[in-house]
Amino acid sequence: MGKAIDLMPGTLDLLILQTLVLGPAHGHTIAHAIGRQSDDVLQVEHGSLYPALHRLEDRKWIASFWGTSENNRRARYYRLTPAGRKQLTRETTRWDTLVTAVNRILKPAAGSGT
Amino acid sequence: MSWLRFLRRSRWDDERRREMESYVDLETDDNIARGMSPDEARSAARRKLGNATLAREEVYQMNTLGFLDTTTRDLRYGLRVLLRQPGFALVAVLSLALGVGANTAIFQLIDTVRLRTLPVEAPEHLVRVSVNAGDTGRTGRFNSSYSHVTNAIYERTRDRQQSFSSLAAWGPATFDLATSGESRPAQGLWISGNFFSTLGVTPLAGTLIGPDHDTAACGQAVATISHAFWQGEFAGAADVVGRTIRLDGHAFVVGGITPPSFFGVDVGRQFDVALPLCAERQVTGTPLHALNSNDWWWLATIGRLKPGVSLAQAGAELKALSAQIFAETTPEGYTTGDAENYRKFVLEPLPIQTGFSTLRGQYGTPLTLLLSLAGLVLLIACGNLANLMLARASAREQEMAVRLAIGASRWRLVRQLMSESLIIAAVGAALGAWIAHNLSGLLVSFLSTERRPLMLDLAINWRVLGFTTGLAVLTCLLFGLVPAMRATQTAPIIVMRGGRGITDGRNRFTLRRALVIGQLAVSLVLLVGALLFTRTFWNLAHADVGFTTEGVVAMDFDLRRSQIPPEAEPAFHQLLLERVRAIPGIAGASAVSITPMSGSGWNQSIVIDGKVQEGYPNVNQVSGNFFGLLDIPLKSGRTFDERDVLGAARSVVVNESFVARYLPGVEPIGRTFHFEGRQDRPVTPLHIIGVAADTKYSDIRQDMGPIAYMAYSQDPNPGRSFTAVVRATQPGLSLAQAAVATAAQVHGDMLVVTTPLQQPIIDGLARERLMAMLSGFFGTLAVLLAAIGLYGVMSYMVAQRRQEIGIRMALGAGRGRVLSLVLREALVLVVIGVAAGTGLAILAGRSAATLLFGLTPTDPVTLVASVAGLGLIGAVASAFPAWRAARVEPTTALRRG
């Protein structure tokens, strides 16, 4: 766990939306998916996921329903709404722009040069 | 953030809790699958989840409207604190409710009488046309307070003007529903054919009077009735349209009913039945009637301005039309001077969106004054509450200091303290609104008289609601804000160090003393007002009218349908008088043309030695026994007797004022004068045969002035109504039945009304009675509240200075000294308060000057009595705390301190 880093503010929303592109999932799955897909680099405190889910649902980017999990437990499932899909595209573009810009500053040599 | 979420936030919280439990279950399953023991698996799952409560809290905050949430909490806390001291809450709420209730009730009346627009279509475009007669005034016959124009003026204005889309006319009338026996009056309206269309009133049933009904031929006799009359007279019968009703004996077919909201255009009066103007000729039934008499003022106009036409434009147009209209309509019988004046009159438009009302002039000032009095009472009540809040605040000083010390913001604490005040104010205002609802109806019934019932629609509207809410907020701020600010301004360290801080010292006490001084001053103003109005009412009710009214009634016989030819009228009147005199149980009866003090009158300018005299002496015609019957002393000469018959030289008895004014220093008996009459009639000389003592004539508020009494028996045209004043042998004997029997006996088609002579006097004092009652009530309440305030502050002072008093006594101060110490403190407050109040009362008194009778606003007796009364009550209020101070046991006081 030594190499785990905390999330930048605002990025959790993006990650949740991205996770849900693959299909509906409940909080437990989402938390583990974020950890797993980032090779455990990104550590989400699992409890803090829930306020984020609540906020996204409040903005109508995701919708929720109670369903039954793989091992027959009641769980609240979340799925992406069309608005959420659009938001994901927007956020991803913004993220890419941000990363490119920050990289340009951090590694000027790799850029177009003088 | 949505409101829905806010209201369902606990449900959401529950949802999240379940969701996180589900997470733990799932994670536990996974952990077990990885080979952990169930217990281990679960606690590992919980660790993984982290702080679930924090997460839930975060969600909860997200769902919350921060301000609203804390406010709800504050209110809940405030309510708990209040309920812990229900006595305090009850007193606070009740005193506020009384104050708010009185204010709202009076405001409701003002709203109905002065502010509310007519319940018709677009009332803001309604305008009336009146005659501006300059200083000269109009001459002729007048029917009512709304006698603005004659029919001739109305018709010409209506036909020639271009400013109004339509111009209607109306006049109030009383129609008799009875055809014989006792009179049964209905409130009537004469209306032009375009009246309802001008106002935009649509029928509830049938058809309303329209232009077709108001023609020169007058066609079918149709009446429009009001919803109230339909309910009252016909019990809401479905088939009322088409039925016949008899008004003054004439048959009219009910054509339609107006909607319930339409009471007419006269605010305060509910019309029963309306007739077209053209029917006036038929109902009056004399050759000379209002419709064709150019000097008969009986109509008011109401018109609707054309879109885009301003009042000023309409005014200019009417002014231009005036000269020709008045030149064409100059009454024939006018004297040269009257005619000259008449032709100078100018028509002018006046806005009338709030309707016509005599109430407005009569009650406008009194109601405004009463509202200010009620406002002052509320102010005193607020003063008491502020004082109570201050006392409570110092009791909670420790609590506040602790909360400030552990980081509460001052604003937050003020808000919390204010929420208590808000609860008191809100409950007080709600209760006050309920009181007002009942009180305003009661007020209206006080002003209503049998002959002129007052009908006001007192429905609550946004203005009244706004007023009450405004009052609640204002009072809340008044009594809540300062104590709240005070309670939170002490530096925590001072309180926490010593337990008792500087706030108990002079500073806070000065404020409380200032409050009490203010209360005493204001209550003195109210006390003076109460005494002034009560004494005004007493003065009027006991005013000497110069004759006996007790046990005297006026019997009015309506002979209009008796078909007596005019030349037979004098004999018929004589016969009727004799029949009335034959009624058993009466001391006597005299015919009168004008019933004394009934409000109606007759005055005429006189000519002595060929010179027209200043002023208009009042005139009456009476029988010879009039003076003896009503105990009016005859000062010299004789009264009328058998010599004064029709055709003989006309005799007249004048009163002392008449002699003093017109015949000073000469022997009046034997002198003659005559009335200034129409130019086309010969003058009739009047010979003075006697002088009677002065009496009042028609209005109790007027001074005794010149009166000329002529002999009733010498009137060649006594007319179609006969009135006799009748004195019963013992007061209280009802003569109404006897009058009806007499009428039936003499003629089948005759109506009679019996009214005690005192009735119109009492009815005429409705305004003064209201003022006396309400100002008396307010004054009592104010003094009571101020006394409570003084008592409270003195008790508080004694409680705070217990220790000091104990030390003083231990050092040898006697009980008498302690008593006088406290009383002196109280005396200072009372003296300053009373002095300030006297000044205020003298200043405020001016606004009441016109409403007083028989005394001035600075009446010394009233002022002295008020000061003495308040001083006495102040002494009583401070005596108990002083007595308690003197009973302090030095040892206990010192030990406790």
Side-chain angles (χ1 to χ4, degrees):
Chain A
M1 290 272 208
K3 57 177 179 171
I5 56 169
D6 285 337
L7 276 180
M8 280 165 64
T11 46
L12 184 58
D13 290 5
L14 182 61
L15 294 179
I16 293 172
L17 291 176
Q18 179 61 45
T19 312
L20 290 177
V21 167
L22 301 171
H26 49 73
H28 183 249
T29 316
I30 297 170
H32 281 283
I34 291 174
R36 208 165 43 241
Q37 284 170 13
S38 68
D39 294 332
D40 286 329
V41 173
L42 300 179
Q43 274 303 310
V44 178
E45 169 149 5
H46 290 189
S48 73
L49 198 64
Y50 291 96
L53 284 169
H54 186 84
R55 189 167 52 240
L56 291 176
E57 191 179 1
D58 197 29
R59 292 178 187 163
K60 309 249 188 292
W61 292 335
I62 58 176
S64 66
F65 55 93
W66 281 95
T68 316
S69 75
E70 317 72 79
N71 41 8
N72 268 330
R73 289 217 180 261
R74 295 280 296 161
R76 196 176 183 89
Y77 278 77
Y78 292 90
R79 63 176 171 77
L80 213 52
T81 63
R85 211 169 281 276
K86 261 181 229 147
Q87 176 65 14
L88 177 61
T89 322
R90 241 188 335 261
E91 283 288 302
T92 314
T93 316
R94 214 172 60 91
W95 176 256
D96 286 344
T97 319
L98 181 74
V99 170
T100 316
V102 172
N103 276 342
R104 227 176 253 160
I105 297 164
L106 293 179
K107 307 173 201 162
S112 50
T114 46
Chain B
M1 184 61 247
S2 77
W3 281 87
L4 202 66
R5 285 258 158 120
F6 172 67
L7 296 171
R8 295 164 70 184
R9 60 195 193 283
S10 52
R11 218 206 75 187
W12 274 113
D13 185 43
D14 196 45
E15 195 79 4
R16 293 299 155 222
R17 187 183 50 71
R18 279 173 57 202
E19 193 176 1
M20 282 187 250
E21 272 167 19
S22 133
Y23 170 93
V24 172
D25 290 346
L26 287 166
E27 183 71 17
T28 309
D29 288 352
D30 285 4
N31 287 346
I32 290 172
R34 283 187 204 116
M36 293 189 198
S37 73
D39 279 358
E40 208 180 340
R42 185 158 288 271
S43 59
R46 285 198 191 286
R47 267 199 307 282
K48 189 109 187 171
L49 180 64
N51 191 341
T53 316
L54 200 67
R56 270 168 61 197
E57 188 95 328
E58 203 178 319
V59 172
Y60 190 86
Q61 284 296 333
M62 253 191 266
N63 283 335
T64 276
L65 303 172
F67 182 78
L68 201 70
D69 202 39
T70 45
T71 307
T72 323
R73 218 161 344 161
D74 281 351
L75 286 178
R76 223 177 281 162
Y77 178 76
L79 199 63
R80 262 204 314 273
V81 171
L82 281 178
L83 288 181
R84 216 179 299 151
Q85 284 162 299
F88 166 79
L90 199 69
V91 169
V93 163
L94 276 185
S95 57
L96 262 195
L98 274 180
V100 171
N103 276 282
T104 306
I106 294 167
F107 180 78
Q108 228 178 331
L109 279 188
I110 293 183
D111 174 61
T112 330
V113 171
R114 304 182 77 168
L115 305 176
R116 199 175 299 178
T117 53
L118 283 176
V120 299
E121 200 183 289
E124 64 277 8
H125 297 136
L126 292 177
V127 169
R128 72 178 166 94
V129 175
S130 282
V131 171
N132 184 344
D135 307 329
T136 52
R138 294 168 293 159
T139 328
R141 300 181 61 161
F142 298 86
N143 269 24
S144 72
S145 325
Y146 308 118
S147 302
H148 300 148
V149 295
T150 63
N151 186 49
I153 297 173
Y154 162 64
E155 285 184 347
R156 281 171 177 74
T157 313
R158 178 193 63 196
D159 296 342
R160 294 175 195 178
Q161 60 75 26
Q162 298 292 324
S163 305
F164 300 89
S165 53
S166 73
L167 184 65
W170 69 280
T174 307
F175 299 125
D176 217 311
L177 295 168
T179 47
S180 65
E182 199 159 14
S183 152
R184 215 152 56 82
Q187 305 286 328
L189 283 183
W190 293 115
I191 57 168
S192 60
N194 58 359
F195 181 76
F196 288 120
S197 59
T198 302
L199 294 177
V201 176
T202 49
L204 183 73
T207 49
L208 303 181
I209 290 172
D212 298 350
H213 301 114
D214 186 25
T215 58
C218 219
Q220 194 196 10
V222 195
T224 295
I225 62 171
S226 69
H227 179 264
F229 188 68
W230 176 46
Q231 293 297 326
E233 186 73 13
F234 296 101
D239 62 340
V240 70
V241 173
R243 279 210 217 169
T244 300
I245 51 170
R246 297 189 85 82
L247 302 170
D248 284 352
H250 302 275
F252 288 89
V253 176
V254 175
I257 308 168
T258 54
S261 65
F262 185 75
F263 54 82
V265 286
D266 182 2
V267 176
R269 308 280 170 226
Q270 166 76 56
F271 92 101
D272 291 325
V273 51
L275 294 181
L277 293 185
C278 68
E280 192 269 344
R281 179 179 41 217
Q282 183 196 352
V283 172
T284 305
T286 50
L288 212 59
H289 48 85
L291 215 51
N292 68 358
S293 304
N294 285 3
D295 62 347
W296 201 323
W297 308 82
W298 63 301
L299 294 176
T301 56
I302 186 161
R304 200 173 276 282
L305 284 177
K306 280 181 185 164
V309 175
S310 72
L311 198 65
Q313 285 168 319
E317 198 214 349
L318 289 171
K319 195 171 179 184
L321 290 173
S322 297
Q324 202 188 349
I325 290 176
F326 288 110
E328 284 173 20
T329 58
T330 312
E332 290 154 20
Y334 268 9
T335 60
T336 325
D338 284 343
E340 215 168 278
N341 288 334
Y342 181 85
R343 283 191 282 268
K344 286 188 203 137
F345 290 171
V346 178
L347 294 169
E348 61 181 17
L350 298 164
I352 193 75
Q353 52 174 313
T354 51
F356 296 80
S357 186
T358 46
L359 289 176
R360 220 168 283 152
Q362 211 180 347
Y363 289 107
T365 318
L367 283 177
T368 318
L369 201 68
L370 283 176
L371 188 64
S372 5
L373 293 186
L376 291 180
V377 172
L378 189 60
L379 206 63
I380 298 179
C382 281
N384 270 354
L385 286 181
N387 247 332
L388 279 169
M389 292 304 246
L390 275 175
R392 281 157 59 86
S394 55
R396 284 165 69 180
E397 208 159 43
Q398 288 269 2
E399 176 198 337
M400 291 300 142
V402 169
R403 295 176 63 175
L404 279 172
I406 58 174
S409 79
R410 185 168 170 209
W411 164 234
R412 186 72 192 73
L413 288 185
V414 168
R415 244 177 66 198
Q416 198 204 321
L417 289 174
M418 284 299 286
S419 62
E420 256 175 76
S421 313
L422 188 69
I423 293 172
I424 296 178
V427 177
L431 202 60
W434 178 78
I435 292 177
H437 185 70
N438 296 299
L439 193 62
S440 55
L442 195 68
L443 291 184
V444 171
S445 69
F446 275 131
L447 298 178
S448 201
T449 58
E450 204 177 314
R451 308 241 30 196
R452 299 219 65 188
L454 187 60
M455 303 283 179
L456 287 174
D457 175 21
L458 290 168
I460 303 265
N461 59 15
W462 60 266
R463 262 193 307 270
V464 176
L465 272 183
F467 180 82
T468 315
T469 314
L471 271 189
V473 171
L474 190 73
T475 51
C476 173
L477 284 178
L478 272 178
F479 71 76
L481 194 57
V482 174
M485 299 292 285
R486 287 253 162 176
T488 53
Q489 77 178 9
T490 320
I493 184 69
I494 295 171
V495 180
M496 303 190 50
R497 193 171 47 202
R500 259 174 61 175
I502 49 162
T503 45
D504 275 339
R506 293 208 79 76
N507 193 16
R508 170 167 300 167
F509 215 62
T510 312
L511 180 68
R512 303 197 60 185
R513 269 199 278 234
L515 269 174
V516 167
I517 289 174
Q519 286 181 310
L520 288 167
V522 173
S523 69
L524 185 81
V525 174
L526 288 170
L527 192 58
V528 169
L531 280 180
L532 284 178
F533 290 121
T534 315
R535 289 188 59 201
T536 291
F537 178 63
W538 199 91
N539 283 350
L540 281 171
H542 294 83
D544 181 21
V545 292
F547 57 89
T548 302
T549 54
E550 205 185 348
V552 183
V553 297
M555 294 180 186
D556 291 297
F557 294 87
D558 180 353
L559 320 179
R560 280 180 299 175
R561 281 171 301 104
S562 56
Q563 313 293 336
I564 313 277
E567 62 277 9
E569 276 170 6
F572 188 79
H573 281 234
Q574 206 54 45
L575 169 78
L576 206 47
L577 179 60
E578 270 154 34
R579 289 297 171 85
V580 170
R581 281 177 175 160
I583 293 174
I586 68 163
S590 161
V592 287
S593 292
I594 302 293
T595 308
M597 308 311 294
S598 64
S600 47
W602 166 15
N603 59 17
Q604 238 169 326
S605 75
I606 56 165
V607 181
I608 300 178
D609 297 337
K611 260 174 50 198
V612 180
Q613 302 291 311
E614 282 274 314
Y616 297 83
N618 289 314
V619 183
N620 202 352
Q621 295 190 123
V622 299
S623 306
N625 63 340
F626 175 81
F627 304 99
L629 189 67
L630 298 186
D631 302 324
I632 304 169
L634 207 60
K635 296 293 182 180
S636 63
R638 65 169 179 96
T639 178
F640 312 117
D641 56 27
E642 58 282 352
R643 281 167 280 176
D644 305 301
V645 291
L646 206 54
R650 298 291 296 265
S651 298
V652 62
V653 173
V654 296
N655 67 355
E656 290 176 296
S657 290
F658 188 98
V659 175
R661 174 95 177 258
Y662 298 112
L663 298 163
V666 291
E667 171 53 46
I669 310 285
R671 299 289 299 247
T672 65
F673 66 92
H674 66 85
F675 292 126
E676 185 192 19
R678 296 173 155 211
Q679 295 161 304
D680 53 353
R681 305 257 175 96
V683 297
T684 311
L686 303 168
H687 302 267
I688 300 176
I689 57 163
V691 177
D694 282 344
T695 63
K696 298 210 174 194
Y697 184 72
S698 66
D699 187 345
I700 196 143
R701 292 170 193 79
Q702 282 166 1
D703 292 330
M704 297 179 180
I707 305 177
Y709 301 91
M710 296 193 288
Y712 198 93
S713 52
Q714 291 185 305
D715 186 354
N717 312 103
R720 300 177 144 230
S721 69
F722 171 79
T723 303
V725 290
V726 182
R727 187 169 181 175
T729 41
Q730 69 247 46
L733 184 71
S734 172
L735 294 171
Q737 279 305 318
V740 172
T742 307
Q745 190 189 345
V746 176
H747 200 293
D749 269 341
M750 205 157 57
L751 296 175
V752 63
V753 188
T754 305
T755 320
L757 229 50
Q758 286 168 330
Q759 193 63 47
I761 301 179
I762 295 167
D763 289 351
L765 295 181
R767 182 177 87 177
E768 281 73 17
R769 191 167 49 235
L770 180 82
M771 288 301 288
M773 273 180 33
L774 284 189
S775 66
F777 173 66
F778 292 154
T780 315
L781 203 60
V783 170
L784 202 67
L785 287 172
I788 292 175
L790 181 65
Y791 169 80
V793 165
M794 291 320 292
S795 304
Y796 183 75
M797 189 211 79
V798 168
Q800 292 298 307
R801 290 172 64 180
R802 232 178 120 78
Q803 225 178 340
E804 179 205 324
I805 293 169
I807 294 172
R808 280 174 189 267
M809 292 179 89
L811 291 178
R815 297 208 184 278
R817 263 191 90 98
V818 172
L819 200 68
S820 73
L821 175 86
V822 178
L823 281 179
R824 217 166 34 232
E825 285 252 3
L827 190 71
V828 170
L829 298 182
V830 173
V831 166
I832 300 177
V834 163
T838 310
L840 281 178
I842 290 172
L843 283 178
R846 285 187 204 151
S847 62
T850 54
L851 298 172
L852 301 179
F853 179 84
L855 71 176
T856 61
T858 51
D859 180 57
V861 179
T862 305
L863 283 178
V864 169
S866 306
V867 168
L870 195 62
L872 187 72
I873 287 164
V876 172
S878 39
F880 190 62
W883 177 76
R884 218 167 26 195
R887 304 262 309 165
V888 166
E889 282 301 328
T891 44
T892 24
L894 287 172
R895 206 180 299 132
R896 263 193 221 155

